[in-house]
Amino acid sequence: MAAGYFTADSASAKPPFCIVIPPPNVTGSLHMGHALEHSLMDALTRRRRMMGDDVLWLPGMDHAGIATQNVVERELAGEGKSRHDLGREAFVERVWRWKAESGGMILNQMRRLGDGVDWSRERFTMDERLSRAVQTIFKRLYEDGLIYRAERIINWCPRCHTALSDIEVEHSDDEGELISIRYGDGDSSVVVATTRAETMLGDTAVAVHPDDERYRHLIGTEVVLPLTGRVVPVVADEHVDPSFGTGAVKVTPAHDPNDFEIGQRHQLPALIIMDERGLITAHGPFQGLDRFEARPAVVAALREQGRIVAEKRPYLHAVGHCSRCDTVVEPRLSMQWFVKVAPLAKAAGDAVRDGRTTIHPAELAKRYFDWVDNMHDWCISRQLWWGHRIPVWYGPNDKVVCVGPDEEPPQGEDWRQDPDVLDTWFSSALWPFSTLGWPERTADLDRFYPNSVLVTGYDILFFWVVRMMMFGLYAMDGVQPFDHVYLHGLIRDASGKKMSKSRNNVIDPLSWLDRYGADATRFTLARGANPGGDMALAEDWAAGSRNFCNKLWNASRFALMNGASTELPVPDRAALTDADRWILDRTDALVSEVDDLFGRYQFGKACEALYHFTWNEFCDWYLELAKVQIAAGEERAGYTRAVLGHVLDVLLRLLHPVIPFVTEVLWTALTGRESVVVADWPKATGVGPDVVAANRIDGLQRLVTELRRFRSDQLLKPGQRVPAQMSGMDGAGLAGLESAVTALARLEPATESFTSGASLEVALPDGTVTVEVDLSGTVDVEAERKRLSKDLAAAQKELAQTEAKLGNPQFADRAPADVVAKIKARRELAASEIARIEARIRALAGT
RNA sequence: GGGCGCAUAGCUCAGCGGAAGAGCACUCGGUUUACACCCGAGCGGUCGCAGGUUCGAGUCCUGCUGCGCCCACCA
């Protein structure tokens, strides 16, 4: 394959088509999800290229903040060092070195998969130009008041030592203990319930609902906390649910988001009792204990004082975990940077609502709306070293200066840059335009924004898609980042379980590439893809696809061996046989169907149609019929070669997006042209099907199948030729097809010494064909009788059903005419079938 | 706790108002010169349960049961 087919041309006059790759982590290697996603993107881009578009499929990678930092820190730990031993600058240097040496394995794996991406435009989120995009949009958002710094309760990972956004927290139902503690004494005491007893060290109030009669008398009073002896007020707050627990809540503003808000409303102090590692800092006996050691210690101390009123164990409740390291997340009061999402999310919702961006499948748009309508502000600062450093400098009085890329950072000893970096998703959100050169107005940006389609899994609809929508619309003055969003499903194992290392059910796509090849792997994945639907993958599927590619290979080889060619003109239809006309019409219908299905992202159905046509129509019937035609003289053979060449040419082009390698080899061999990559996508001729030919081939198929069934029932050897005489072919509309039937049913023309051993009648829609065969007394009467009685029962059932339906006066009144006609035809066929079978049974009885 | 989805052949799924389908698996038979990674013939389903709408319901409505998934600051 010559180079350059996959390089986009920003000066091209062709219509642009652009997909940016969802950037895999630089730490990642190819898993089945990638293989699926890439197969689909490649299919889309290859088809559009064949349709005449100037296609850009842009590859790249994500710097993957926490993930990458973790990998390198682990490496350092192996050397007995921490990142602090190196210092920030040296550590970042080390990460870059790691990337150069071990990062980006996935890029080579993409090459093995055969991705037709434009390598000349490969990007990395930490590229200098993409970093400029990050700084530019940060500055713009800040100046528009959409980025702010505030002290808030955020999700904190005590192991990674960084803030996390909501989506980096995964909830699971964990076992805990709900304990009820008595605060205060006597009439003024109150019982609160908690799962995190240690936080009571930071309590600064008790809250009750204002309308709760039980506690009305306590509102405004004070209560003495056990252990610390601190005195805190009892406040009334609407947020408290009187029906939960005791109806009274301990309030820890520094360590619980709800409590923080209650604290704000009542001007309560926020007492921080834990450090960034999760160790207790409050003075006293618990100081220095880890939060999970402090919890039982606090409970024990309370019990000793007789403060524990009740314990409920186990108590299942949702607990947040760090999505990177699974450590239990700690709500923590700290100063962080936030994006004010409400206005951005509103625009993101509107773009989908008014159809500028279409989500496939449409049902998932509902989830998208749910999400954008309920988004919290986005915490974007991370206490890491690997990532885009926040472009903010603090002056002598901590006066904030925001510096965009156009300005030099302020010099002087009194200025220091914010030490934090941005959430990885911040730069990912810019991907659809930062990769094209934004903020500069490059030719690529003009041409390929908005991107045509985004292909990604529905699991990151919220993580990534929403954010790209928000930032794309914001940065590009209201123009959406993509016209279409195609969401594929998740890959599961054969029993429908999620693939995961811990379950040990992961199928490595690389092993499939080795054993079945890229074509089979890709066809398997494309074949299983329906919009939004998950896919259960099993080894058998890959083997089936491999078999299919092999079938295609053999069929093509056979056609070529027999002189199939695209050089020969396909003759006028008048010169063609019914089989030729039929296969040409079927090919035409296939073109329409497959084109339509691809256009609607119905990859699975498109592959199914291609598979069925190739195997069950082209190979099973047309190739067999073509053998007869090629043996029928030079003229017929020439015409047949032309038809074979044409059908195969179209078929290979249709298959190319999902089976790129094999089709390339076969198509160039067939046509002698340079590459199927730049061949034209087939167009349907629009000529309606030849109904007569279609009916004849359908009749032929029924007749041949019936004869084969007869042979099978009679236990005839498949290779054994049986002398036979046919009559009624014209009446059944099968004029001129005797030789085809003879060949396909392995009959042979009767000789002069022909003696009929058995008579077989086959009812077809237009008449009945009778076949007299000479079995020289080998007919298995019992087998035939058995078969006849089975057929008779089926026909009688059919007759009864159709008559019942037709006998219903309401049916005749209300059903459409074509339905009635169809049912009548079925009734006639069933009736004639019954007559035929009964006659045959009588004949058998006579022998 | 809120939302969404799925229950059709042994398995994975398609069909979404007018004769129950495909692939794989299974059974039987095969040296048929493109292909045993193959060929031919078969077996296999009261379409989760209960109601309802309709001349007609896997297909539309309601309820139930069983599974998924997403979201979630009831301590």
Side-chain angles (χ1 to χ4, degrees):
Chain A
M1 233 184 278
Y5 292 145
F6 302 118
T7 305
D9 174 9
S10 49
S12 168
K14 297 174 180 175
F17 183 86
C18 174
I19 295 182
V20 294
I21 212 164
N25 287 356
V26 62
T27 51
S29 68
L30 193 83
H31 58 62
M32 270 302 171
H34 293 125
L36 165 67
E37 199 163 281
H38 289 214
S39 299
L40 301 183
M41 287 188 282
D42 207 15
L44 287 173
T45 51
R46 281 177 192 271
R47 171 169 168 268
R48 296 303 301 210
R49 189 176 292 108
M50 291 173 80
M51 287 170 82
D53 288 356
D54 175 44
V55 171
L56 170 58
W57 183 17
L58 186 145
M61 290 189 295
D62 193 285
H63 67 279
I66 301 183
T68 309
Q69 178 159 330
N70 281 351
V71 167
V72 178
E73 285 196 281
R74 224 173 292 137
E75 206 176 79
L76 283 176
E79 303 163 15
K81 284 188 270 187
S82 82
R83 66 176 151 129
H84 300 284
D85 296 329
L86 271 71
R88 183 167 191 147
E89 211 169 309
F91 179 78
V92 170
E93 184 63 29
R94 171 92 182 219
V95 180
W96 279 107
R97 208 168 74 221
W98 177 88
K99 181 196 178 248
E101 287 165 6
S102 334
M105 282 190 311
I106 196 167
L107 299 178
N108 287 323
Q109 294 161 343
M110 283 165 58
R111 289 185 169 90
R112 287 187 57 196
L113 201 58
D115 286 356
V117 296
D118 183 349
W119 290 109
S120 74
R121 285 176 170 84
E122 184 192 332
R123 299 286 186 266
F124 181 55
T125 47
M126 293 268 282
D127 283 348
E128 201 182 323
R129 289 183 63 170
L130 276 74
S131 298
R132 264 174 67 103
V134 168
Q135 292 155 16
T136 304
I137 200 162
F138 187 99
K139 180 179 185 184
R140 208 180 274 185
L141 285 163
Y142 179 79
E143 286 170 353
D144 281 349
L146 294 171
I147 281 186
Y148 63 92
R149 189 166 179 247
E151 191 166 49
R152 289 280 174 81
I153 296 268
I154 43 83
N155 305 296
W156 180 266
C157 175
R159 199 214 64 88
C160 301
H161 291 185
T162 181
L164 304 171
S165 66
D166 289 347
I167 55 174
E168 289 167 303
V169 176
E170 284 169 6
H171 293 267
S172 65
D173 274 342
D174 290 3
E175 264 186 31
E177 185 181 6
L178 184 68
I179 53 176
S180 303
I181 309 167
R182 181 174 301 279
Y183 282 7
D185 293 294
D187 288 348
S188 64
S189 77
V190 57
V191 176
V192 298
T194 182
T195 53
R196 298 194 302 148
E198 73 282 8
T199 62
M200 69 158 296
L201 301 173
D203 282 1
T204 54
V206 169
V208 297
H209 194 275
D211 302 334
D212 194 333
E213 294 298 337
R214 294 171 294 175
Y215 300 117
R216 182 159 289 184
H217 65 288
L218 291 178
I219 295 169
T221 66
E222 292 184 325
V223 66
V224 179
L225 296 181
L227 304 185
T228 59
R230 281 188 295 108
V231 177
V232 300
V234 177
V235 300
D237 196 283
E238 296 276 350
H239 170 80
V240 178
D241 176 2
S243 66
F244 184 87
T246 60
V249 190
K250 61 190 276 304
V251 182
T252 321
H255 295 279
D256 184 279
N258 278 322
D259 294 4
F260 180 75
E261 282 176 23
I262 295 177
Q264 296 269 297
R265 286 196 284 272
H266 301 276
Q267 287 86 45
L268 299 171
L271 211 61
I272 296 176
I273 58 138
M274 219 183 278
D275 69 7
E276 72 280 359
R277 293 164 298 179
L279 305 184
I280 302 295
T281 55
H283 292 298
F286 308 107
Q287 190 170 11
L289 288 182
D290 178 78
R291 54 192 169 142
F292 295 117
E293 296 166 358
R295 188 171 302 167
V298 167
V299 172
L302 288 168
R303 183 172 293 121
E304 218 165 274
Q305 294 190 8
R307 291 286 171 177
I308 304 294
V309 178
E311 296 169 70
K312 192 174 170 189
R313 190 172 40 177
Y315 177 72
L316 278 185
H317 63 144
V319 176
H321 296 257
C322 173
S323 62
R324 271 296 144 204
C325 69
D326 208 41
T327 303
V328 172
V329 165
E330 192 63 38
R332 184 159 193 263
L333 183 65
S334 65
M335 188 65 93
Q336 302 287 348
W337 287 94
F338 295 87
V339 171
K340 187 175 171 186
V341 297
L344 299 169
K346 165 91 170 57
D350 288 346
V352 173
R353 256 184 276 272
D354 62 27
R356 277 174 288 156
T357 296
T358 313
I359 292 180
H360 308 269
E363 303 84 71
L364 283 171
K366 277 184 242 155
R367 274 201 209 176
Y368 175 89
F369 294 134
D370 280 351
W371 182 261
V372 294
D373 293 343
N374 297 299
M375 239 174 135
H376 296 290
D377 280 359
W378 173 16
C379 176
I380 50 170
S381 42
R382 295 290 179 278
Q383 289 65 47
L384 304 172
W385 288 350
W386 175 244
H388 299 99
R389 192 155 174 186
I390 290 179
V392 172
W393 279 258
Y394 302 100
N397 305 317
D398 264 5
K399 208 182 104 192
V400 173
V401 176
C402 179
V403 178
D406 300 326
E407 300 170 32
E408 288 298 310
Q411 300 296 318
E413 288 180 12
D414 292 338
W415 291 88
R416 57 186 181 82
Q417 186 175 5
D418 194 300
D420 292 350
V421 300
L422 289 164
D423 181 4
T424 294
W425 295 99
F426 191 92
S427 54
S428 312
L430 316 180
W431 191 248
F433 50 96
S434 64
T435 51
L436 299 174
W438 189 91
E440 279 171 55
R441 252 199 96 178
T442 59
D444 275 3
L445 186 65
D446 268 350
R447 188 162 173 69
F448 296 114
Y449 189 97
N451 304 165
S452 311
V453 191
L454 174 80
V455 178
T456 193
Y458 66 73
D459 55 331
I460 59 168
L461 181 63
F462 313 131
F463 284 73
W464 190 42
V465 179
V466 172
R467 283 160 191 203
M468 284 192 288
M469 289 296 287
M470 293 196 310
F471 280 10
L473 289 159
Y474 174 77
M476 297 296 291
D477 302 319
V479 179
Q480 72 284 1
F482 8 75
D483 298 330
H484 298 272
V485 176
Y486 172 82
L487 298 163
H488 64 250
L490 269 33
I491 305 245
R492 297 170 179 283
D493 72 4
S495 56
K497 297 235 165 49
K498 224 171 177 170
M499 283 190 185
S500 70
K501 280 177 197 145
S502 57
R503 281 202 188 85
N504 198 27
N505 61 350
V506 175
I507 302 178
D508 181 1
L510 301 173
S511 83
W512 278 18
L513 293 180
D514 288 339
R515 287 177 298 138
Y516 302 107
D519 282 335
T521 301
R522 295 171 53 143
F523 188 71
T524 301
L525 294 166
R527 200 178 166 193
N530 51 319
D534 290 349
M535 188 188 314
L537 264 198
E539 194 83 16
D540 290 348
W541 288 49
S545 298
R546 186 240 359 235
N547 295 354
F548 177 67
C549 293
N550 196 248
K551 185 77 176 174
L552 181 68
W553 179 268
N554 281 311
S556 303
R557 199 166 51 108
F558 170 77
L560 288 168
M561 256 165 41
N562 280 283
S565 169
T566 49
E567 299 288 298
L568 305 164
V570 176
D572 284 350
R573 291 179 83 87
L576 295 175
T577 63
D578 288 323
D580 295 332
R581 288 195 276 252
W582 166 75
I583 199 67
L584 288 172
D585 290 344
R586 292 297 306 139
T587 304
D588 212 38
L590 180 74
V591 170
S592 307
E593 185 183 1
V594 168
D595 184 60
D596 174 60
L597 289 169
F598 271 135
R600 293 188 292 118
Y601 307 100
Q602 297 282 352
F603 300 98
K605 285 174 191 163
C607 290
E608 214 48 59
L610 286 162
Y611 183 99
H612 183 264
F613 175 87
T614 303
W615 206 308
N616 304 111
E617 298 189 281
F618 184 61
C619 291
D620 285 353
W621 292 100
Y622 187 72
L623 285 187
E624 295 306 319
L625 291 163
K627 289 175 187 171
V628 178
Q629 296 185 181
I630 286 170
E634 255 327 293
E635 192 186 43
R636 178 85 298 147
Y639 294 164
T640 303
R641 288 180 184 120
V643 173
L644 269 176
H646 171 78
V647 173
L648 192 57
D649 166 33
V650 171
L651 182 59
L652 290 170
R653 282 185 283 145
L654 287 176
L655 281 166
H656 180 252
V658 283
I659 303 185
F661 291 106
V662 167
T663 52
E664 173 72 4
V665 173
L666 293 174
W667 192 82
T668 49
L670 174 69
T671 62
R673 291 172 54 195
E674 200 183 323
S675 173
V676 70
V677 172
V678 286
D680 290 336
W681 181 247
K683 282 195 191 71
T685 63
V687 176
D690 181 333
V691 179
V692 173
N695 281 340
R696 282 186 181 162
I697 298 303
D698 180 63
L700 172 130
Q701 290 175 338
R702 289 181 198 225
L703 177 58
V704 168
T705 301
E706 193 65 25
L707 287 167
R708 285 170 175 166
R709 181 147 78 107
F710 176 77
R711 293 178 58 110
S712 182
D713 287 345
Q714 299 301 332
L715 303 177
L716 298 181
K717 295 214 177 216
Q720 185 187 337
R721 301 239 166 222
V722 179
Q725 258 178 4
M726 277 172 258
S727 56
M729 292 290 279
D730 287 4
L734 299 186
L737 290 170
E738 284 94 342
S739 61
V741 173
T742 302
L744 296 192
R746 307 237 137 225
L747 307 174
E748 63 182 9
T751 58
E752 286 178 19
S753 59
F754 178 80
T755 51
S756 174
S759 164
L760 185 75
E761 291 184 27
V762 180
L764 297 173
D766 298 322
T768 298
V769 174
T770 305
V771 185
E772 303 276 334
V773 291
D774 176 8
L775 295 171
S776 306
T778 61
V779 173
D780 184 339
V781 176
E782 262 323 296
E784 189 174 0
R785 206 171 260 150
K786 219 168 135 189
R787 185 166 71 81
L788 286 170
S789 76
K790 216 173 90 187
D791 289 354
L792 184 64
Q796 281 167 339
K797 189 177 163 195
E798 173 80 357
L799 185 67
Q801 278 178 356
T802 49
E803 281 186 335
K805 202 151 204 182
L806 292 165
N808 180 347
Q810 307 233 43
F811 172 75
D813 288 351
R814 307 207 190 178
D818 59 319
V819 173
V820 176
K822 256 201 276 187
I823 303 231
K824 276 186 179 161
R826 277 170 49 204
R827 183 183 59 183
E828 301 318 316
L829 199 59
S832 74
E833 181 76 356
I834 287 170
R836 194 215 100 206
I837 295 169
E838 282 172 349
R840 179 67 191 149
I841 288 172
R842 277 194 299 278
L844 272 183
T847 56

